[in-house]
Amino acid sequence: MKKNRKELFFEETLKLVVQKGFKATTLRDIAHKLDFEVANVYNYIDSKESFLEGYLFNTMDEFCGYLNNIVDSSYTPVEKLKFVISKHVQYTIAHPYIVALFIYEWRNLKEPKLTEFKDKRQGYIDTVNTIIKAGIKDGDLREMDDEFATFMVMSSMRWLFSLVTKENVTINPIEIEKQMTDFIFKGIGK
Amino acid sequence: MKKNRKELFFEETLKLVVQKGFKATTLRDIAHKLDFEVANVYNYIDSKESFLEGYLFNTMDEFCGYLNNIVDSSYTPVEKLKFVISKHVQYTIAHPYIVALFIYEWRNLKEPKLTEFKDKRQGYIDTVNTIIKAGIKDGDLREMDDEFATFMVMSSMRWLFSLVTKENVTINPIEIEKQMTDFIFKGIGK
DNA sequence: GTCTATAATTCGATAGAC
DNA sequence: GTCTATCGAATTATAGAC
């Protein structure tokens, strides 16, 4: 896949921002990495803020859209939850730096985008919670606090990006998804 | 427990830094929250950087020291792991904002402190991995990739702070520890 | 401990020539 | 698209009086 200059700019900038943090990454850092002067940054983005917004809301919308399709399907709650896990794992492996941005840098959004982001994220979690609650009610998941269960499922998936961005680690998406699903459903005990 | 001015300063500043991020929190923000002028900040800290260092390394040392005591005990691997989980849960409930700082803001350390921090953290993870590996070998934990298991155990504990800092949530440390342990060992499946 | 004043630097962003 | 030049604002930190 050939990358044009714009794709290269976004890719390198994303990596830099994830590595140093959004606030700590200056436009001069970005310009230096791409080997041009500061003013040229504005050939690609309108502002530093808009760069962050673009990634965060595109990703958010993709996840919310996918989740809605899962919910509107006729799968069982457990099957639906496995689709959710699969989506998280596969997206994280494909775009680990975007996920890192999603986790670390959303706080740098300015109002009203900040509130909009938090609301959408809460909506996503609420929907996953609905699925898990149904799974418990059906007796397919063990009896436990459904909100805590939701919290733990989301938590355990959230850091996978850091495994993917680690060097010298070979990733088999199929195997990772299997192990992630096994951990969430069976834990590490015997 | 009566708080003197220094304790109040550190507590309020910590909350502010966690809420806005280390880089995004200015000394003016801190001064304004404590109702005095910027220069007074330096009555309590030598620099913005030293504030971060203090919290991060004190916490790191406490966790490493405790883990060493666990390792040097005669408990079984599974029992040791439960002590590790207990420590994480209890510390997180007692000091959620410090844990948040630990997770979000370590990247703002400057060299050589940054490398020192990363090395210590990796040492901690390696030691937990040793415990889990022994548990699998003994047959007390199910057969699985021990490194991935370690990664997942650590990941699932890491976000607990966000549950504790949430408003309108009542926390029972004993119950949370039970549910956390159940999730890690049994998952959510039946 | 508190303040005012300010140094020294860095930041995001813009103007305008080529 | 690239550059030089620069603006205005914000930042950490210090000096020194009260």
Side-chain angles (χ1 to χ4, degrees):
Chain A
M1 183 145 77
K2 190 128 185 295
K3 290 168 203 156
N4 61 30
R5 295 185 65 78
K6 186 165 184 175
E7 285 170 343
L8 189 67
F9 171 86
F10 274 88
E11 222 168 83
E12 293 298 314
T13 301
L14 175 61
K15 281 188 191 176
L16 208 54
V17 165
V18 167
Q19 186 191 1
K20 301 190 62 174
F22 180 75
K23 274 273 181 184
T25 303
T26 67
L27 300 185
R28 283 161 181 81
D29 291 334
I30 296 168
H32 179 259
K33 182 157 187 181
L34 288 157
D35 226 28
F36 52 53
E37 295 304 311
V38 190
N40 292 19
V41 168
Y42 292 92
N43 291 333
Y44 301 98
I45 55 173
D46 292 333
S47 68
K48 202 185 172 190
E49 170 82 3
S50 71
F51 171 83
L52 186 62
E53 277 182 18
Y55 271 120
L56 291 183
F57 283 92
N58 286 345
T59 302
M60 180 65 90
D61 289 344
E62 179 174 336
F63 269 84
C64 288
Y66 191 80
L67 184 60
N68 284 337
N69 289 342
I70 293 174
V71 168
D72 290 342
S73 74
S74 57
Y75 280 110
T76 67
V78 166
E79 287 168 336
K80 285 177 179 173
L81 190 55
K82 285 182 178 173
F83 272 103
V84 172
I85 295 169
S86 176
K87 174 68 178 178
H88 275 254
V89 170
Q90 297 308 328
Y91 187 91
T92 300
I93 292 173
H95 309 288
Y97 290 99
I98 298 182
V99 173
L101 199 74
F102 207 79
I103 290 170
Y104 276 125
E105 308 299 348
W106 59 268
R107 285 177 306 170
N108 293 303
L109 288 171
K110 290 170 189 163
E111 296 291 1
K113 289 290 180 180
L114 179 60
T115 296
E116 184 185 341
F117 180 85
K118 288 197 280 189
D119 287 347
K120 284 188 173 180
R121 191 186 53 174
Q122 190 57 49
Y124 188 91
I125 293 171
D126 289 344
T127 304
V128 174
N129 186 35
T130 304
I131 297 174
I132 289 178
K133 203 188 298 188
I136 295 173
K137 191 183 176 191
D138 291 357
D140 294 330
L141 299 177
R142 72 173 168 83
E143 194 65 40
M144 64 182 297
D145 183 311
D146 60 274
E147 287 192 26
F148 189 79
T150 305
F151 181 81
M152 291 311 299
V153 169
M154 299 298 292
S155 295
S156 56
M157 293 192 296
R158 200 165 279 139
W159 281 100
L160 182 60
F161 81 91
S162 73
L163 192 66
V164 182
T165 54
K166 215 180 274 176
E167 291 171 4
N168 305 323
V169 173
T170 52
I171 298 291
N172 177 342
I174 306 289
E175 177 63 15
I176 294 281
E177 183 177 326
K178 178 190 182 299
Q179 293 202 34
M180 178 68 77
T181 307
D182 278 354
F183 177 80
I184 289 175
F185 281 92
K186 300 194 297 190
I188 65 172
K190 210 157 189 179
Chain B
M1 182 145 78
K2 189 128 184 294
K3 288 168 204 159
N4 60 31
R5 294 186 65 80
K6 187 165 183 174
E7 285 170 342
L8 189 66
F9 171 86
F10 274 88
E11 220 168 86
E12 293 298 312
T13 301
L14 176 60
K15 281 188 192 177
L16 207 55
V17 166
V18 167
Q19 186 191 1
K20 300 190 62 172
F22 179 75
K23 275 274 180 184
T25 304
T26 68
L27 301 185
R28 281 166 183 77
D29 292 333
I30 297 168
H32 179 259
K33 182 157 187 179
L34 289 156
D35 225 27
F36 52 52
E37 294 304 311
V38 188
N40 293 19
V41 169
Y42 292 93
N43 292 333
Y44 301 97
I45 55 173
D46 293 333
S47 68
K48 202 184 170 191
E49 170 81 3
S50 71
F51 171 83
L52 186 62
E53 278 182 17
Y55 271 119
L56 292 183
F57 282 94
N58 285 346
T59 302
M60 179 65 90
D61 290 344
E62 180 174 336
F63 269 85
C64 289
Y66 190 80
L67 183 61
N68 283 338
N69 289 342
I70 294 173
V71 168
D72 291 343
S73 74
S74 58
Y75 281 109
T76 67
V78 166
E79 287 168 337
K80 285 177 180 173
L81 191 55
K82 285 182 178 172
F83 272 101
V84 172
I85 295 169
S86 175
K87 174 69 177 177
H88 276 253
V89 170
Q90 297 307 328
Y91 188 91
T92 300
I93 292 173
H95 309 288
Y97 291 100
I98 297 182
V99 173
L101 199 74
F102 207 81
I103 290 169
Y104 275 125
E105 307 299 347
W106 60 267
R107 284 177 305 172
N108 293 301
L109 289 171
K110 290 171 189 163
E111 295 292 2
K113 290 289 180 180
L114 179 62
T115 297
E116 185 185 339
F117 181 85
K118 288 196 280 188
D119 287 347
K120 285 187 172 180
R121 190 186 53 172
Q122 189 58 48
Y124 188 90
I125 293 171
D126 289 345
T127 304
V128 174
N129 186 36
T130 305
I131 296 173
I132 288 177
K133 204 188 296 186
I136 295 173
K137 192 183 173 189
D138 291 357
D140 294 329
L141 299 177
R142 73 175 168 82
E143 193 66 39
M144 65 181 297
D145 182 312
D146 60 275
E147 287 192 28
F148 189 79
T150 305
F151 180 80
M152 291 310 299
V153 169
M154 299 298 293
S155 295
S156 56
M157 294 191 295
R158 201 165 279 140
W159 282 100
L160 181 60
F161 81 93
S162 73
L163 193 66
V164 183
T165 55
K166 214 179 277 176
E167 292 171 4
N168 306 324
V169 174
T170 53
I171 298 291
N172 177 341
I174 306 288
E175 177 63 15
I176 294 282
E177 183 176 325
K178 178 190 181 298
Q179 293 203 33
M180 178 68 76
T181 307
D182 278 354
F183 177 79
I184 290 174
F185 281 93
K186 300 194 297 190
I188 63 172
K190 207 153 190 182

